[in-house]
Amino acid sequence: MTTQRSIRKQDAPLRTSLGLTAWNYTKTTLLLAGLTALFGAIGYAIGGPGWAVGALVIAGLMNFGAYWFSDKMVLRMHHAEPVSRADSPRLFSLVERLADRAGLPMPALYIIRDDSPNAFATGRNPRNAAVAVTTGLLELMKPSELEGVIAHELAHIKNRDMLIMTVAGAISGAISMIAQILGFSMLFGGRDSEEGGGGISALLMIILAPIMAMLIQMSISRGREYEADRVGAQIAGNPRGLADALDRLAWAQERVPTRTSPATAHLFIMQPLSAEGMASMFSTHPPIGERVRRLRSL
């Protein structure tokens, strides 16, 4: 009986991990399906069934590209440089030790030349994951705080968060760009313009496209950040380092904000863009004060 209980107890994390994996892949599928449907609807609004089929083909190609190449695109967008053990032995050893503690393969490690302190994880699965940190983070953080930040990013990898977060960044940017291009095309010969309503439809398309992109980013639950904080504290062995790091990051971001696109803002451990007033309602990150409070209560 004791042995059976022990086996069930050991299997519990595995069942939880499998459940998280299935749920995250389901959300990714729904996100990609939503993009496909949106493209089809835009194509149909412009030119009927023929345009709708063309839009669906384009959407399929973009979905394929987002799944396989969006992590490389994000790293290239931020001019991330690969790091080896010889380049930064202390950082490499820290990530390697925490990855081993989390039961993960060693992720690819990158450095971004940016004075603003921040970090993110990307990749489609744990075996194809990458962690990127800025030079500002390495200069500002104490060892325990840096450990907490790295553990948080490894928690995203362990929870299989990176795929949907990376794809969401690619999709939100694509929706804004493609919808605006198609909106402008409606001004110059789409089906609605022949009926006299093209100008209004195009204007609505151009205005609503960024909102659509924002809503897709908001589909990434803030709960994922809370969960990554919790699991990161377990990986680090102490929640205090990450809590102190978040306090320091909040202070630093007000002085040296991270330069990034809104399409990739949700990837970072700290909200890179200003989110005050009404804008805070659309923030992809929970309030820092609440994250710190939860960590200190662990």
Side-chain angles (χ1 to χ4, degrees):
M1 179 66 69
T2 302
T3 302
Q4 290 178 347
R5 287 179 179 174
S6 177
I7 291 174
R8 285 198 297 268
K9 188 174 182 180
Q10 291 174 355
D11 286 346
L14 176 60
R15 291 196 298 269
T16 301
S17 176
L18 290 173
L20 283 169
T21 301
W23 174 233
N24 281 322
Y25 276 117
T26 299
K27 286 193 286 188
T28 301
T29 302
L30 292 174
L31 194 60
L32 296 177
L35 173 64
T36 303
L38 176 62
F39 270 43
I42 292 173
Y44 186 85
I46 294 174
W51 279 70
V53 172
L56 290 174
V57 171
I58 294 174
L61 293 174
M62 291 188 64
N63 291 348
F64 177 84
Y67 180 82
W68 289 102
F69 306 115
S70 57
D71 55 335
K72 298 178 179 63
M73 292 170 60
V74 170
L75 291 168
R76 190 176 300 115
M77 181 188 304
H78 293 283
H79 307 289
E81 303 171 6
V83 176
S84 66
R85 188 187 300 275
D87 297 324
S88 185
R90 293 181 64 181
L91 176 62
F92 196 95
S93 296
L94 172 63
V95 177
E96 187 176 49
R97 174 171 58 83
L98 291 174
D100 182 68
R101 186 182 297 176
L104 294 169
M106 175 66 184
L109 189 58
Y110 289 83
I111 284 182
I112 300 171
R113 305 290 174 182
D114 191 335
D115 293 335
S116 176
N118 225 320
F120 67 83
T122 186
R124 61 184 182 273
N125 56 47
R127 293 193 176 278
N128 295 275
V131 172
V133 298
T134 65
T135 51
L137 183 83
L138 297 178
E139 294 170 0
L140 182 67
M141 293 290 110
K142 296 178 181 179
S144 62
E145 296 169 348
L146 179 61
E147 182 179 60
V149 171
I150 297 297
H152 172 94
E153 298 307 328
L154 291 175
H156 276 306
I157 296 174
K158 188 176 183 66
N159 292 345
R160 271 69 170 182
D161 287 341
M162 332 91 67
L163 171 60
I164 191 169
M165 294 169 76
T166 301
V167 171
I171 288 176
S172 61
I175 285 181
S176 181
M177 178 185 68
I178 298 299
Q180 289 187 47
I181 291 174
L182 296 179
F184 279 115
S185 74
M186 294 169 70
L187 289 171
F188 302 101
R191 187 183 66 175
D192 283 348
S193 65
E194 295 173 358
E195 299 172 358
I200 296 177
S201 299
L203 183 61
L204 288 174
M205 185 71 67
I206 294 168
I207 293 174
L208 292 176
I211 297 177
M212 295 176 190
M214 188 180 298
L215 290 175
I216 284 186
Q217 287 189 327
M218 281 301 297
S219 68
I220 305 169
S221 172
R222 296 183 182 191
R224 301 167 82 87
E225 288 299 323
Y226 285 132
E227 182 64 11
D229 286 343
R230 187 187 68 80
V231 175
Q234 292 178 345
I235 294 173
N238 188 343
R240 187 177 298 114
L242 179 55
D244 291 344
L246 290 174
D247 271 337
R248 193 180 295 270
L249 284 168
W251 173 85
Q253 278 291 317
E254 293 180 357
R255 291 155 180 80
V256 190
T258 302
R259 299 183 297 273
T260 187
S261 163
T264 60
H266 60 282
L267 292 174
F268 289 84
I269 185 173
M270 173 68 61
Q271 176 79 20
L273 308 172
S274 176
E276 300 178 354
M278 287 293 292
S280 63
M281 296 175 60
F282 297 96
S283 172
T284 56
H285 290 60
I288 288 296
E290 179 61 18
R291 292 174 68 182
V292 171
R293 186 194 68 78
R294 293 191 182 198
L295 282 166
R296 295 197 188 285
S297 70
L298 291 178

